[in-house]
Every structure is written in C-alpha cells, then in structure tokens.
Amino acid sequence: MSGLEIERKFLVHKAGRPYKEQAYASSRIRQGYICSERGRTVRVRIRDGRGFLTIKGPSGEAGMTRYEFEKEITLDEATHLMELCEPGLIDKTRYLVKSGQHVFEVDEFYGENDGLVMAEVELQSEDEPFTKPDFIACEVTGDRRFYNSSLRKMPFTLWRDALPEEFQ
C-alpha cells in the first residue's frame, strides 16, 4: 500500500478498558525504527508472524496527513532488519473496534510505554465525520510526543505524570 495516510489520534480513558470487550480482533505488534528523523521514518514491524517495512513522510500542518508506503516482507527479513533498528523497540497489542462506518485501532503499550493506551482512526479526508466510541478521550493528533517513533526515544513512563491522572 502506498499513498496518503489520514488519521486522527486520541487518548483512551483509563477506567474499565471497554475497548477490549468491544474489539472484534487483536494482535501483538513489535516494531523498530531504522530511521526516525523528523519528517521521515522507516519502520520495521512484526505483526501476527508477518513482517512489514513502512516508510512515512512528514506530517501536514494539522498533523493528520502524510505519505505512507508499506510493503509486506518475509518474517526472516523483518527479524534481521530489527537488528538494524535504533535503540528502543515499541511493543503493543492492537485492538480493532468498529464504530459507525470506521474501525478504531486501539493500541495498548508495554515496556517503557506501559500504561499508554491510544486510539486512531483512518479517514478518507481530514474533515470526514466519524462516530467516536465512548472510551475515546482527548485528541492528540499532531502531538509529536504520541508518535510511535517519538515514544521510542522518549518513553511514556518518563513523562506520563504530566498528564491528567485518568490517562496515566
């Protein structure tokens, strides 16, 4: 897949974690970054025994839109490329939750990002309407602290106390 990726990101309320019960699928994801400079990232991901290589360009002004190229690679290739990654891997479980006409991807992070739960929804346009599930809290689209490539460098556990208690 390649083209423009348009997505919005949200923090998830800490109480109850209802997204788990609402999810129709889940998968464990491990990912690393070969390059995570501002404006361009090269990511290696292993998800459900499959490998992926993803290249992303800079985000637009609102932080919602950017170019994305993704290609499936073999698990062996992904495993070897993980060895080339910058320090700090991302480890998370992704839950898929349908809401209206959209699917929200809810990521529950582990390790140095333990306690962080974010949801994102992909859109066809920046102004496309969507129905938020009840577990969605504040929007963090465009806040670089919540980019996975940033969480690798500055993990959530180092700055989570700066957020309201309901998100810690």
Side-chain angles (χ1 to χ4, degrees):
M1 180 215 91
S2 66
L4 285 182
E5 171 191 56
I6 302 169
E7 68 181 14
R8 291 177 64 180
K9 289 185 173 199
F10 304 87
L11 290 179
V12 171
H13 289 290
K14 182 179 174 182
R17 305 290 194 218
Y19 58 87
K20 289 183 180 183
E21 291 80 45
Q22 297 174 27
Y24 66 85
S26 67
S27 57
R28 191 69 178 252
I29 297 173
R30 286 184 48 245
Q31 65 190 42
Y33 290 84
I34 294 173
C35 173
S36 63
E37 293 182 23
R38 186 176 175 130
R40 65 184 59 91
T41 60
V42 179
R43 176 184 76 201
V44 179
R45 175 181 277 177
I46 297 175
R47 178 179 184 174
D48 295 332
R50 297 168 60 197
F52 299 89
L53 181 65
T54 306
I55 301 168
K56 293 187 179 194
S59 294
E61 195 173 305
M64 281 186 242
T65 304
R66 62 182 170 173
Y67 177 79
E68 179 183 79
F69 170 85
E70 185 169 77
K71 179 164 180 52
E72 186 166 357
I73 58 177
T74 68
L75 179 59
D76 188 55
E77 289 169 331
T79 301
H80 287 339
L81 285 173
M82 285 285 209
E83 298 296 318
L84 298 176
C85 288
E86 300 168 339
L89 294 179
I90 299 293
D91 184 16
K92 60 188 179 180
T93 296
R94 173 164 289 169
Y95 298 89
L96 302 179
V97 178
K98 188 153 178 57
S99 180
Q101 300 299 311
H102 296 89
V103 172
F104 279 75
E105 297 175 337
V106 181
D107 290 341
E108 182 176 332
F109 291 81
Y110 307 111
E112 291 186 308
N113 291 297
D114 190 55
L116 178 61
V117 182
M118 286 192 304
E120 57 187 49
V121 60
E122 289 201 18
L123 305 170
Q124 297 299 312
S125 67
E126 288 190 4
D127 60 353
E128 180 180 353
F130 58 92
T131 304
K132 289 184 197 176
D134 57 357
F135 54 79
I136 294 294
C138 62
E139 185 163 5
V140 294
T141 301
D143 185 335
R144 295 192 181 283
R145 294 177 300 170
F146 295 100
Y147 287 13
N148 281 255
S149 58
S150 295
L151 290 168
R152 177 198 69 73
K153 297 176 195 172
M154 181 60 74
F156 181 65
T157 53
L158 298 178
W159 53 271
R160 73 169 149 210
D161 292 342
L163 293 177
E165 189 174 321
E166 68 180 288
F167 304 116
Q168 295 179 26

Coordinates of all heavy atoms in Angstrom, one line a residue, residues 71-141:
K71 N 5.1 -2.2 2.7 CA 5.3 -3.4 1.9 C 5.5 -4.6 2.8 O 6.2 -4.5 3.8 CB 6.5 -3.3 1.0 CG 6.8 -4.5 0.2 CD 7.7 -4.2 -1.0 CE 8.1 -5.3 -1.8 NZ 7.0 -6.1 -2.4
E72 N 4.8 -5.6 2.5 CA 5.0 -6.9 3.3 C 6.3 -7.5 2.9 O 6.7 -7.5 1.8 CB 3.9 -7.9 3.1 CG 4.0 -9.1 4.1 CD 2.8 -9.9 4.1 OE1 1.7 -9.6 3.5 OE2 2.8 -11.0 4.9
I73 N 7.1 -7.9 3.9 CA 8.3 -8.6 3.7 C 8.3 -9.9 4.5 O 7.4 -10.1 5.3 CB 9.5 -7.7 4.2 CG1 9.4 -7.3 5.7 CG2 9.7 -6.5 3.3 CD1 10.6 -6.5 6.2
T74 N 9.2 -10.8 4.3 CA 9.2 -12.0 5.0 C 9.5 -11.8 6.5 O 10.1 -10.8 6.9 CB 10.2 -13.0 4.4 OG1 11.5 -12.6 4.7 CG2 10.0 -13.2 2.9
L75 N 9.0 -12.7 7.3 CA 9.3 -12.7 8.7 C 10.8 -12.7 9.0 O 11.4 -12.0 9.8 CB 8.6 -13.9 9.4 CG 8.9 -13.9 10.9 CD1 8.4 -12.7 11.6 CD2 8.1 -15.2 11.5
D76 N 11.6 -13.5 8.2 CA 13.0 -13.6 8.3 C 13.6 -12.2 8.0 O 14.5 -11.8 8.7 CB 13.6 -14.7 7.4 CG 15.0 -14.9 7.6 OD1 15.4 -15.2 8.7 OD2 15.8 -14.8 6.6
E77 N 13.2 -11.6 6.9 CA 13.7 -10.2 6.6 C 13.4 -9.3 7.7 O 14.3 -8.5 8.1 CB 13.1 -9.8 5.3 CG 13.6 -10.5 4.1 CD 12.7 -10.2 2.8 OE1 11.5 -9.9 2.9 OE2 13.3 -10.3 1.7
A78 N 12.2 -9.3 8.2 CA 11.8 -8.4 9.3 C 12.7 -8.6 10.6 O 13.1 -7.7 11.2 CB 10.3 -8.5 9.6
T79 N 12.9 -9.9 10.9 CA 13.7 -10.2 12.1 C 15.1 -9.7 11.9 O 15.7 -9.1 12.9 CB 13.7 -11.7 12.3 OG1 12.3 -12.2 12.5 CG2 14.5 -12.1 13.5
H80 N 15.7 -9.9 10.7 CA 17.0 -9.4 10.5 C 17.1 -7.8 10.5 O 18.0 -7.2 11.1 CB 17.6 -9.9 9.2 CG 18.0 -11.4 9.3 ND1 18.2 -12.0 10.5 CD2 18.2 -12.3 8.3 CE1 18.5 -13.3 10.3 NE2 18.5 -13.5 9.0
L81 N 16.1 -7.2 9.9 CA 16.1 -5.7 9.9 C 15.9 -5.1 11.3 O 16.4 -4.0 11.6 CB 15.0 -5.2 8.9 CG 15.3 -5.4 7.5 CD1 14.0 -5.0 6.6 CD2 16.5 -4.5 7.1
M82 N 15.2 -5.9 12.2 CA 15.1 -5.4 13.6 C 16.4 -5.2 14.2 O 16.6 -4.3 15.1 CB 14.2 -6.4 14.4 CG 12.8 -6.3 14.1 SD 12.0 -4.9 14.8 CE 10.4 -5.5 15.1
E83 N 17.4 -6.0 13.8 CA 18.8 -5.9 14.3 C 19.4 -4.5 13.9 O 20.3 -4.1 14.6 CB 19.6 -7.0 13.8 CG 19.2 -8.4 14.3 CD 19.2 -8.6 15.8 OE1 20.2 -8.1 16.4 OE2 18.2 -9.1 16.3
L84 N 18.9 -3.9 12.9 CA 19.5 -2.6 12.4 C 18.8 -1.4 13.0 O 19.2 -0.3 12.8 CB 19.4 -2.5 10.9 CG 20.1 -3.6 10.0 CD1 19.8 -3.4 8.6 CD2 21.6 -3.5 10.3
C85 N 17.7 -1.7 13.8 CA 16.9 -0.6 14.3 C 17.6 0.2 15.4 O 18.5 -0.3 16.1 CB 15.6 -1.1 14.8 SG 14.5 -1.7 13.5
E86 N 17.2 1.5 15.5 CA 17.7 2.4 16.5 C 17.2 1.7 17.9 O 16.3 1.0 17.9 CB 17.1 3.7 16.3 CG 17.5 4.4 15.0 CD 16.6 5.6 14.7 OE1 15.5 5.8 15.2 OE2 17.1 6.4 13.9
P87 N 17.9 2.1 19.0 CA 17.5 1.6 20.3 C 16.1 2.0 20.6 O 15.6 3.0 20.3 CB 18.5 2.2 21.2 CG 19.7 2.6 20.4 CD 19.1 2.9 19.0
G88 N 15.4 1.1 21.3 CA 14.1 1.4 21.8 C 13.0 0.8 20.9 O 12.5 1.5 20.0
L89 N 12.6 -0.4 21.1 CA 11.5 -1.0 20.4 C 10.1 -0.7 20.9 O 10.0 -0.5 22.1 CB 11.7 -2.6 20.3 CG 12.9 -3.1 19.6 CD1 12.9 -4.6 19.7 CD2 12.9 -2.6 18.1
I90 N 9.1 -0.7 20.1 CA 7.8 -0.5 20.5 C 7.1 -1.9 20.6 O 7.2 -2.7 19.7 CB 7.0 0.4 19.5 CG1 7.6 1.8 19.4 CG2 5.5 0.5 19.8 CD1 7.5 2.6 20.7
D91 N 6.4 -2.1 21.7 CA 5.7 -3.4 21.9 C 4.3 -3.0 22.4 O 4.1 -2.3 23.3 CB 6.5 -4.2 23.0 CG 5.9 -5.5 23.3 OD1 5.1 -6.0 22.4 OD2 6.2 -6.1 24.3
K92 N 3.3 -3.5 21.6 CA 1.9 -3.2 21.9 C 1.0 -4.3 21.4 O 1.3 -5.1 20.6 CB 1.6 -1.8 21.3 CG 1.7 -1.8 19.8 CD 1.6 -0.4 19.2 CE 1.7 -0.3 17.7 NZ 1.5 1.0 17.2
T93 N -0.2 -4.2 22.0 CA -1.3 -5.0 21.5 C -2.3 -4.1 20.8 O -2.6 -3.0 21.4 CB -2.0 -5.8 22.5 OG1 -1.1 -6.8 23.1 CG2 -3.3 -6.6 22.0
R94 N -2.7 -4.4 19.6 CA -3.7 -3.6 18.9 C -5.0 -4.3 18.9 O -5.1 -5.4 18.5 CB -3.2 -3.3 17.4 CG -4.3 -2.6 16.6 CD -3.7 -2.0 15.3 NE -2.8 -0.9 15.7 CZ -2.0 -0.3 14.8 NH1 -1.9 -0.8 13.6 NH2 -1.3 0.7 15.2
Y95 N -6.0 -3.5 19.3 CA -7.4 -4.0 19.3 C -8.2 -3.2 18.2 O -8.1 -2.0 18.1 CB -8.1 -3.7 20.6 CG -7.4 -4.4 21.8 CD1 -6.4 -3.8 22.5 CD2 -7.8 -5.7 22.2 CE1 -5.7 -4.5 23.5 CE2 -7.2 -6.4 23.2 CZ -6.2 -5.8 23.9 OH -5.5 -6.4 24.9
L96 N -9.0 -3.9 17.4 CA -9.8 -3.3 16.4 C -11.2 -3.2 16.8 O -11.8 -4.2 17.2 CB -9.7 -4.1 15.1 CG -8.3 -4.3 14.5 CD1 -8.3 -5.2 13.2 CD2 -7.6 -3.0 14.2
V97 N -11.7 -2.0 16.8 CA -13.1 -1.7 17.3 C -13.9 -1.0 16.3 O -13.5 0.1 15.8 CB -13.0 -0.9 18.6 CG1 -14.5 -0.6 19.1 CG2 -12.3 -1.6 19.7
K98 N -15.0 -1.5 15.8 CA -15.8 -0.9 14.8 C -16.7 0.2 15.5 O -17.2 -0.1 16.6 CB -16.7 -1.9 14.1 CG -17.5 -1.3 13.0 CD -17.8 -2.4 11.9 CE -18.6 -1.8 10.8 NZ -18.0 -0.7 10.0
S99 N -16.8 1.4 14.9 CA -17.6 2.4 15.4 C -18.2 3.2 14.2 O -17.5 3.8 13.5 CB -16.8 3.4 16.3 OG -17.6 4.5 16.7
G100 N -19.5 3.0 14.0 CA -20.1 3.6 12.8 C -19.5 2.9 11.6 O -19.4 1.7 11.5
Q101 N -19.1 3.8 10.6 CA -18.5 3.3 9.4 C -17.0 3.1 9.5 O -16.4 2.8 8.5 CB -18.8 4.2 8.2 CG -20.3 4.4 8.0 CD -21.0 3.1 7.6 OE1 -20.5 2.4 6.8 NE2 -22.1 2.8 8.3
H102 N -16.4 3.3 10.6 CA -15.0 3.3 10.8 C -14.5 2.2 11.7 O -15.3 1.7 12.6 CB -14.5 4.6 11.3 CG -14.7 5.7 10.3 ND1 -15.9 6.5 10.3 CD2 -13.9 6.2 9.3 CE1 -15.8 7.3 9.3 NE2 -14.7 7.2 8.7
V103 N -13.2 1.9 11.7 CA -12.6 1.0 12.6 C -11.5 1.8 13.4 O -10.7 2.5 12.8 CB -11.9 -0.2 11.9 CG1 -11.1 -1.0 12.8 CG2 -12.9 -1.1 11.2
F104 N -11.6 1.8 14.7 CA -10.6 2.4 15.5 C -9.6 1.3 15.9 O -9.9 0.2 16.3 CB -11.3 3.0 16.8 CG -11.9 4.3 16.6 CD1 -13.1 4.4 15.9 CD2 -11.3 5.4 17.0 CE1 -13.7 5.6 15.7 CE2 -11.9 6.7 16.8 CZ -13.1 6.8 16.1
E105 N -8.3 1.7 15.8 CA -7.2 0.8 16.2 C -6.8 1.3 17.5 O -6.3 2.5 17.7 CB -6.0 0.9 15.2 CG -6.4 0.4 13.8 CD -5.3 0.6 12.8 OE1 -4.4 1.5 13.0 OE2 -5.3 -0.1 11.8
V106 N -7.0 0.5 18.6 CA -6.6 0.9 19.9 C -5.4 0.1 20.3 O -5.3 -1.1 20.3 CB -7.8 0.5 20.9 CG1 -7.4 1.0 22.3 CG2 -9.1 1.2 20.5
D107 N -4.3 0.9 20.6 CA -3.0 0.4 21.0 C -2.8 0.5 22.5 O -2.8 1.6 23.0 CB -1.9 1.1 20.2 CG -1.9 0.8 18.7 OD1 -2.5 -0.2 18.3 OD2 -1.3 1.6 18.0
E108 N -2.5 -0.7 23.1 CA -2.1 -0.8 24.5 C -0.7 -1.1 24.5 O -0.2 -2.2 24.1 CB -3.0 -1.9 25.2 CG -2.7 -2.0 26.6 CD -3.6 -3.0 27.3 OE1 -4.8 -3.3 26.8 OE2 -3.2 -3.6 28.3
F109 N 0.1 -0.2 25.1 CA 1.6 -0.3 25.0 C 2.1 -1.0 26.3 O 1.6 -1.0 27.3 CB 2.2 1.1 25.0 CG 2.0 1.8 23.6 CD1 0.8 2.4 23.4 CD2 2.9 1.8 22.6 CE1 0.5 3.1 22.2 CE2 2.7 2.4 21.4 CZ 1.5 3.1 21.2
Y110 N 3.3 -1.6 26.1 CA 4.0 -2.3 27.1 C 5.5 -1.8 27.3 O 5.9 -0.9 26.6 CB 4.1 -3.8 26.8 CG 2.7 -4.4 26.5 CD1 2.4 -4.8 25.2 CD2 1.8 -4.5 27.5 CE1 1.1 -5.3 24.9 CE2 0.5 -5.0 27.2 CZ 0.2 -5.4 26.0 OH -1.0 -6.0 25.7
G111 N 6.2 -2.4 28.2 CA 7.6 -2.0 28.4 C 7.7 -0.6 28.9 O 7.0 -0.1 29.8
E112 N 8.6 0.2 28.3 CA 8.8 1.6 28.7 C 7.7 2.5 28.4 O 7.7 3.6 28.9 CB 10.1 2.1 28.0 CG 11.4 1.5 28.5 CD 12.6 2.1 27.9 OE1 12.7 2.3 26.7 OE2 13.5 2.5 28.7
N113 N 6.7 2.0 27.6 CA 5.5 2.8 27.3 C 4.3 2.3 28.0 O 3.1 2.6 27.7 CB 5.3 2.9 25.8 CG 6.4 3.8 25.2 OD1 6.5 5.0 25.5 ND2 7.2 3.2 24.3
D114 N 4.5 1.4 29.0 CA 3.4 0.8 29.8 C 2.5 1.8 30.4 O 2.9 2.8 30.9 CB 4.0 -0.1 30.9 CG 2.9 -1.0 31.5 OD1 2.3 -1.7 30.8 OD2 2.8 -0.9 32.8
G115 N 1.2 1.6 30.2 CA 0.2 2.5 30.8 C -0.4 3.4 29.7 O -1.5 3.9 29.9
L116 N 0.2 3.5 28.6 CA -0.3 4.3 27.5 C -1.3 3.5 26.6 O -1.0 2.4 26.2 CB 0.8 4.9 26.6 CG 0.4 5.7 25.4 CD1 -0.3 7.0 25.9 CD2 1.6 6.1 24.6
V117 N -2.5 4.1 26.4 CA -3.4 3.5 25.5 C -4.0 4.6 24.6 O -4.5 5.6 25.1 CB -4.6 2.8 26.3 CG1 -5.6 2.2 25.3 CG2 -4.1 1.8 27.3
M118 N -3.8 4.4 23.3 CA -4.2 5.4 22.3 C -5.1 4.7 21.3 O -4.9 3.5 21.0 CB -3.0 6.0 21.6 CG -2.2 7.0 22.4 SD -1.0 7.9 21.4 CE 0.0 6.6 20.7
A119 N -5.9 5.5 20.7 CA -6.8 5.0 19.6 C -6.6 5.9 18.4 O -6.4 7.1 18.5 CB -8.2 5.0 20.0
E120 N -6.6 5.3 17.2 CA -6.5 6.1 16.0 C -7.6 5.6 15.0 O -7.9 4.5 15.0 CB -5.1 6.1 15.4 CG -4.6 4.8 15.1 CD -3.1 4.9 14.7 OE1 -2.3 5.5 15.4 OE2 -2.8 4.3 13.6
V121 N -8.0 6.5 14.1 CA -8.9 6.2 13.1 C -8.4 6.8 11.8 O -7.9 7.9 11.7 CB -10.4 6.7 13.4 CG1 -10.4 8.3 13.5 CG2 -11.4 6.3 12.4
E122 N -8.5 5.9 10.7 CA -8.0 6.4 9.4 C -9.2 6.9 8.7 O -10.3 6.3 8.7 CB -7.4 5.2 8.6 CG -6.0 4.9 9.2 CD -5.1 4.2 8.2 OE1 -5.4 4.2 7.0 OE2 -4.1 3.6 8.7
L123 N -9.0 8.0 8.0 CA -10.1 8.7 7.3 C -9.8 8.9 5.8 O -8.6 8.8 5.4 CB -10.3 10.1 7.9 CG -10.6 10.1 9.4 CD1 -10.5 11.5 10.0 CD2 -11.9 9.5 9.7
Q124 N -10.8 9.2 5.0 CA -10.6 9.5 3.6 C -10.2 10.9 3.3 O -9.6 11.3 2.3 CB -11.8 9.1 2.8 CG -12.2 7.6 2.9 CD -11.1 6.7 2.3 OE1 -10.6 7.0 1.2 NE2 -10.7 5.7 3.0
S125 N -10.6 11.8 4.3 CA -10.3 13.2 4.2 C -10.2 13.8 5.6 O -10.7 13.2 6.5 CB -11.4 14.0 3.4 OG -12.6 14.0 4.1
E126 N -9.5 14.9 5.7 CA -9.3 15.5 7.0 C -10.6 15.9 7.7 O -10.7 16.0 8.9 CB -8.3 16.7 6.9 CG -6.9 16.2 6.7 CD -5.9 17.3 6.8 OE1 -6.2 18.5 7.2 OE2 -4.7 17.1 6.6
D127 N -11.6 16.3 6.9 CA -12.9 16.7 7.5 C -14.0 15.7 7.5 O -15.1 16.0 7.7 CB -13.3 18.0 6.8 CG -13.6 17.8 5.3 OD1 -13.3 16.7 4.8 OD2 -14.1 18.7 4.7
E128 N -13.6 14.4 7.2 CA -14.6 13.3 7.2 C -15.2 13.1 8.6 O -14.4 13.0 9.6 CB -13.9 12.0 6.8 CG -14.9 10.9 6.7 CD -14.2 9.6 6.3 OE1 -13.0 9.6 5.8 OE2 -14.8 8.5 6.3
P129 N -16.5 13.1 8.7 CA -17.1 12.8 10.1 C -17.0 11.4 10.5 O -16.9 10.5 9.6 CB -18.6 13.2 9.9 CG -18.8 13.1 8.4 CD -17.5 13.3 7.7
F130 N -16.9 11.1 11.8 CA -16.9 9.8 12.3 C -17.5 9.8 13.7 O -17.7 10.8 14.3 CB -15.4 9.3 12.4 CG -14.5 10.1 13.2 CD1 -14.3 9.9 14.5 CD2 -13.9 11.2 12.6 CE1 -13.5 10.6 15.3 CE2 -13.0 12.0 13.4 CZ -12.8 11.7 14.7
T131 N -17.9 8.6 14.1 CA -18.5 8.4 15.4 C -17.5 7.9 16.4 O -16.9 6.8 16.2 CB -19.7 7.4 15.3 OG1 -20.6 7.8 14.3 CG2 -20.4 7.2 16.7
K132 N -17.2 8.7 17.5 CA -16.2 8.3 18.5 C -16.9 7.3 19.4 O -18.0 7.4 19.9 CB -15.8 9.5 19.3 CG -15.0 10.5 18.6 CD -14.6 11.6 19.6 CE -14.1 12.8 18.9 NZ -13.8 13.9 19.9
P133 N -16.1 6.2 19.7 CA -16.6 5.2 20.7 C -16.5 5.9 22.1 O -15.8 6.9 22.3 CB -15.6 4.1 20.6 CG -14.8 4.3 19.4 CD -14.9 5.7 19.0
D134 N -17.3 5.4 23.0 CA -17.4 6.0 24.4 C -16.1 6.0 25.1 O -15.9 6.8 26.1 CB -18.5 5.4 25.2 CG -18.3 3.9 25.4 OD1 -17.4 3.3 24.8 OD2 -19.1 3.3 26.1
F135 N -15.1 5.2 24.8 CA -13.8 5.1 25.5 C -12.8 6.2 25.0 O -11.8 6.3 25.6 CB -13.2 3.7 25.4 CG -13.0 3.2 24.0 CD1 -12.0 3.7 23.2 CD2 -13.9 2.3 23.5 CE1 -11.8 3.2 22.0 CE2 -13.7 1.8 22.2 CZ -12.7 2.2 21.5
I136 N -13.2 6.9 24.0 CA -12.3 8.0 23.5 C -12.3 9.2 24.4 O -13.3 9.7 24.8 CB -12.7 8.4 22.1 CG1 -12.5 7.2 21.1 CG2 -11.9 9.6 21.6 CD1 -11.1 6.8 20.9
A137 N -11.1 9.7 24.7 CA -10.9 10.9 25.5 C -10.4 12.1 24.6 O -11.0 12.3 23.5 CB -10.0 10.6 26.6
C138 N -9.4 12.7 25.0 CA -8.9 13.9 24.3 C -8.1 13.5 23.0 O -7.5 12.5 23.0 CB -8.1 14.8 25.2 SG -6.6 14.0 25.8
E139 N -8.2 14.4 22.1 CA -7.4 14.2 20.8 C -6.0 14.6 21.0 O -5.7 15.7 21.6 CB -8.1 15.0 19.7 CG -7.4 14.8 18.3 CD -8.3 15.2 17.2 OE1 -9.3 15.8 17.4 OE2 -7.8 14.9 16.0
V140 N -5.1 13.8 20.4 CA -3.6 14.1 20.5 C -3.0 14.1 19.0 O -1.8 14.1 18.9 CB -2.9 13.2 21.4 CG1 -3.3 13.4 22.8 CG2 -3.0 11.7 21.0
T141 N -3.9 14.2 18.0 CA -3.4 14.3 16.7 C -2.4 15.5 16.5 O -2.6 16.6 17.0 CB -4.6 14.6 15.7 OG1 -5.5 13.5 15.8 CG2 -4.1 14.6 14.2

